[in-house]
Short mmCIF file of all heavy atoms in Angstrom, two decimals:
data_model
loop_
_atom_site.label_atom_id
_atom_site.label_comp_id
_atom_site.label_asym_id
_atom_site.label_seq_id
_atom_site.Cartn_x
_atom_site.Cartn_y
_atom_site.Cartn_z
N ALA J 251 52.81 -39.89 118.34
CA ALA J 251 52.46 -41.22 118.85
C ALA J 251 53.55 -42.21 118.55
O ALA J 251 53.80 -43.14 119.30
CB ALA J 251 51.14 -41.68 118.25
N VAL J 252 54.24 -42.02 117.43
CA VAL J 252 55.34 -42.89 117.07
C VAL J 252 56.61 -42.28 117.63
O VAL J 252 56.97 -41.17 117.29
CB VAL J 252 55.45 -43.02 115.54
CG1 VAL J 252 56.61 -43.93 115.17
CG2 VAL J 252 54.15 -43.58 114.99
N VAL J 253 57.30 -43.00 118.51
CA VAL J 253 58.49 -42.49 119.15
C VAL J 253 59.66 -43.39 118.80
O VAL J 253 59.51 -44.47 118.27
CB VAL J 253 58.32 -42.42 120.69
CG1 VAL J 253 57.25 -41.43 121.04
CG2 VAL J 253 58.00 -43.79 121.28
N SER J 254 60.86 -42.93 119.15
CA SER J 254 62.06 -43.69 118.87
C SER J 254 62.00 -45.05 119.56
O SER J 254 61.55 -45.18 120.69
CB SER J 254 63.30 -42.93 119.34
OG SER J 254 63.40 -41.71 118.66
N SER J 255 62.48 -46.06 118.87
CA SER J 255 62.49 -47.41 119.43
C SER J 255 63.43 -48.26 118.62
O SER J 255 63.64 -48.03 117.44
CB SER J 255 61.08 -48.02 119.40
OG SER J 255 61.11 -49.37 119.78
N SER J 256 64.02 -49.24 119.25
CA SER J 256 64.89 -50.16 118.54
C SER J 256 64.10 -51.17 117.75
O SER J 256 64.62 -51.85 116.88
CB SER J 256 65.82 -50.89 119.51
OG SER J 256 65.04 -51.61 120.46
N SER J 257 62.81 -51.29 118.03
CA SER J 257 61.98 -52.23 117.27
C SER J 257 60.86 -51.49 116.59
O SER J 257 60.20 -50.64 117.17
CB SER J 257 61.38 -53.30 118.21
OG SER J 257 60.31 -52.78 118.94
N GLY J 258 60.67 -51.76 115.30
CA GLY J 258 59.63 -51.08 114.54
C GLY J 258 58.26 -51.34 115.13
O GLY J 258 57.40 -50.45 115.16
N ALA J 259 58.00 -52.52 115.66
CA ALA J 259 56.67 -52.84 116.18
C ALA J 259 56.33 -51.96 117.37
O ALA J 259 55.24 -51.41 117.46
CB ALA J 259 56.61 -54.32 116.58
N ALA J 260 57.30 -51.78 118.27
CA ALA J 260 57.03 -50.94 119.43
C ALA J 260 56.84 -49.50 119.01
O ALA J 260 55.97 -48.79 119.51
CB ALA J 260 58.17 -51.06 120.44
N ALA J 261 57.66 -49.05 118.05
CA ALA J 261 57.55 -47.66 117.60
C ALA J 261 56.22 -47.41 116.93
O ALA J 261 55.68 -46.32 117.00
CB ALA J 261 58.69 -47.33 116.62
N ALA J 262 55.68 -48.42 116.30
CA ALA J 262 54.41 -48.24 115.61
C ALA J 262 53.22 -48.43 116.54
O ALA J 262 52.07 -48.38 116.13
CB ALA J 262 54.31 -49.23 114.45
N GLY J 263 53.48 -48.66 117.81
CA GLY J 263 52.41 -48.79 118.78
C GLY J 263 51.94 -50.21 118.96
O GLY J 263 50.97 -50.47 119.65
N GLY J 264 52.65 -51.16 118.34
CA GLY J 264 52.26 -52.56 118.50
C GLY J 264 53.06 -53.22 119.60
O GLY J 264 54.06 -52.72 120.06
N GLY J 265 52.66 -54.37 120.08
CA GLY J 265 53.35 -55.13 121.12
C GLY J 265 53.40 -54.39 122.42
O GLY J 265 52.97 -53.49 122.59
N GLY J 266 53.81 -54.31 123.40
CA GLY J 266 54.06 -53.60 124.62
C GLY J 266 53.22 -52.39 124.93
O GLY J 266 53.53 -51.66 125.83
N GLY J 267 52.17 -52.13 124.17
CA GLY J 267 51.28 -51.03 124.50
C GLY J 267 51.76 -49.71 123.94
O GLY J 267 52.89 -49.57 123.48
N LYS J 268 50.91 -48.72 124.00
CA LYS J 268 51.19 -47.41 123.44
C LYS J 268 52.00 -46.58 124.43
O LYS J 268 51.57 -46.37 125.56
CB LYS J 268 49.87 -46.71 123.11
CG LYS J 268 50.04 -45.36 122.43
CD LYS J 268 48.67 -44.79 122.09
CE LYS J 268 48.82 -43.45 121.39
NZ LYS J 268 47.50 -42.87 121.07
N PRO J 269 53.19 -46.11 124.05
CA PRO J 269 54.01 -45.33 124.98
C PRO J 269 53.38 -43.97 125.26
O PRO J 269 52.67 -43.43 124.41
CB PRO J 269 55.34 -45.18 124.22
CG PRO J 269 54.98 -45.31 122.79
CD PRO J 269 53.82 -46.27 122.73
N PRO J 270 53.60 -43.41 126.44
CA PRO J 270 53.03 -42.10 126.77
C PRO J 270 53.66 -41.01 125.93
O PRO J 270 54.84 -41.07 125.58
CB PRO J 270 53.37 -41.93 128.25
CG PRO J 270 54.57 -42.78 128.46
CD PRO J 270 54.41 -43.96 127.56
N ARG J 271 52.88 -40.00 125.61
CA ARG J 271 53.41 -38.87 124.86
C ARG J 271 54.09 -37.89 125.80
O ARG J 271 53.62 -37.63 126.89
CB ARG J 271 52.28 -38.18 124.10
CG ARG J 271 51.62 -39.05 123.06
CD ARG J 271 50.70 -38.25 122.19
NE ARG J 271 50.05 -39.07 121.18
CZ ARG J 271 49.40 -38.59 120.14
NH1 ARG J 271 49.29 -37.28 119.97
NH2 ARG J 271 48.83 -39.39 119.26
N LYS J 272 55.19 -37.34 125.32
CA LYS J 272 55.90 -36.32 126.09
C LYS J 272 55.36 -34.95 125.68
O LYS J 272 55.05 -34.72 124.52
CB LYS J 272 57.40 -36.42 125.80
CG LYS J 272 58.00 -37.73 126.27
CD LYS J 272 59.32 -38.04 125.59
CE LYS J 272 60.40 -37.03 125.93
NZ LYS J 272 61.70 -37.41 125.32
N LYS J 273 55.26 -34.07 126.67
CA LYS J 273 54.69 -32.75 126.42
C LYS J 273 55.57 -31.66 127.01
O LYS J 273 56.26 -31.87 128.00
CB LYS J 273 53.28 -32.66 127.02
CG LYS J 273 52.26 -33.53 126.30
CD LYS J 273 50.93 -33.56 127.01
CE LYS J 273 51.01 -34.45 128.24
NZ LYS J 273 51.20 -35.87 127.91
N ALA J 274 55.51 -30.49 126.36
CA ALA J 274 56.18 -29.30 126.86
C ALA J 274 55.23 -28.12 126.70
O ALA J 274 54.47 -28.05 125.72
CB ALA J 274 57.47 -29.04 126.10
N VAL J 275 55.25 -27.22 127.66
CA VAL J 275 54.51 -25.96 127.54
C VAL J 275 55.52 -24.84 127.48
O VAL J 275 56.36 -24.69 128.38
CB VAL J 275 53.55 -25.75 128.73
CG1 VAL J 275 52.89 -24.38 128.64
CG2 VAL J 275 52.47 -26.84 128.75
N VAL J 276 55.46 -24.07 126.40
CA VAL J 276 56.35 -22.93 126.20
C VAL J 276 55.57 -21.66 126.51
O VAL J 276 54.48 -21.45 125.98
CB VAL J 276 56.88 -22.89 124.75
CG1 VAL J 276 57.83 -21.71 124.57
CG2 VAL J 276 57.56 -24.21 124.39
N VAL J 277 56.10 -20.83 127.41
CA VAL J 277 55.43 -19.60 127.81
C VAL J 277 56.39 -18.44 127.58
O VAL J 277 57.48 -18.40 128.19
CB VAL J 277 54.99 -19.63 129.28
CG1 VAL J 277 54.09 -18.44 129.57
CG2 VAL J 277 54.28 -20.93 129.61
N LEU J 278 56.00 -17.50 126.74
CA LEU J 278 56.83 -16.34 126.42
C LEU J 278 56.05 -15.08 126.73
O LEU J 278 54.95 -14.88 126.20
CB LEU J 278 57.22 -16.35 124.94
CG LEU J 278 57.88 -17.62 124.40
CD1 LEU J 278 57.92 -17.58 122.88
CD2 LEU J 278 59.28 -17.78 124.97
N ASN J 279 56.61 -14.24 127.58
CA ASN J 279 56.02 -12.92 127.82
C ASN J 279 56.64 -11.95 126.82
O ASN J 279 57.77 -11.51 127.00
CB ASN J 279 56.28 -12.47 129.25
CG ASN J 279 55.69 -11.08 129.52
OD1 ASN J 279 54.94 -10.54 128.71
ND2 ASN J 279 56.04 -10.52 130.67
N MET J 280 55.91 -11.63 125.77
CA MET J 280 56.44 -10.77 124.73
C MET J 280 55.99 -9.33 124.94
O MET J 280 55.47 -8.67 124.04
CB MET J 280 56.05 -11.32 123.36
CG MET J 280 56.58 -12.73 123.16
SD MET J 280 56.35 -13.43 121.51
CE MET J 280 57.65 -12.61 120.59
N SER J 281 56.22 -8.86 126.16
CA SER J 281 55.89 -7.48 126.51
C SER J 281 56.86 -7.00 127.57
O SER J 281 57.60 -7.79 128.16
CB SER J 281 54.45 -7.39 127.04
OG SER J 281 54.37 -7.85 128.38
N ALA J 282 56.84 -5.70 127.83
CA ALA J 282 57.73 -5.11 128.83
C ALA J 282 57.08 -5.05 130.21
O ALA J 282 57.63 -4.43 131.13
CB ALA J 282 58.14 -3.71 128.38
N GLU J 283 55.91 -5.67 130.37
CA GLU J 283 55.20 -5.67 131.64
C GLU J 283 55.19 -7.07 132.25
O GLU J 283 55.18 -8.07 131.54
CB GLU J 283 53.75 -5.21 131.44
CG GLU J 283 53.61 -3.88 130.72
CD GLU J 283 54.17 -2.73 131.54
OE1 GLU J 283 54.13 -2.83 132.79
OE2 GLU J 283 54.64 -1.74 130.95
N THR J 284 55.19 -7.15 133.58
CA THR J 284 55.06 -8.44 134.27
C THR J 284 53.67 -9.01 133.99
O THR J 284 52.67 -8.29 134.03
CB THR J 284 55.27 -8.27 135.78
OG1 THR J 284 56.58 -7.74 136.01
CG2 THR J 284 55.12 -9.60 136.50
N ARG J 285 53.62 -10.31 133.70
CA ARG J 285 52.36 -10.96 133.36
C ARG J 285 52.22 -12.26 134.13
O ARG J 285 53.20 -12.97 134.36
CB ARG J 285 52.31 -11.27 131.85
CG ARG J 285 52.50 -10.08 130.96
CD ARG J 285 51.32 -9.15 130.98
NE ARG J 285 50.11 -9.81 130.45
CZ ARG J 285 48.96 -9.21 130.30
NH1 ARG J 285 48.81 -7.95 130.68
NH2 ARG J 285 47.92 -9.86 129.80
N PRO J 286 50.99 -12.62 134.55
CA PRO J 286 50.80 -13.91 135.23
C PRO J 286 51.04 -15.06 134.26
O PRO J 286 50.77 -14.96 133.06
CB PRO J 286 49.34 -13.86 135.69
CG PRO J 286 48.68 -12.88 134.76
CD PRO J 286 49.73 -11.87 134.43
#
């Protein structure tokens, strides 16, 4: 929830609203067969 910012208030979620969270999905096929 706390992201990089030049101002501590913004980074702490104050002033300008709460910034959106960034997301990643990691998918690993750890087998020798094709998988959906």
Side-chain angles (χ1 to χ4, degrees):
V252 180
V253 296
S254 299
S255 172
S256 59
S257 77
K268 185 178 180 181
R271 297 190 180 193
K272 296 160 65 176
K273 291 173 284 293
V275 174
V276 181
V277 190
L278 307 167
N279 179 10
M280 301 187 78
S281 77
E283 307 294 330
T284 300
R285 303 289 296 183

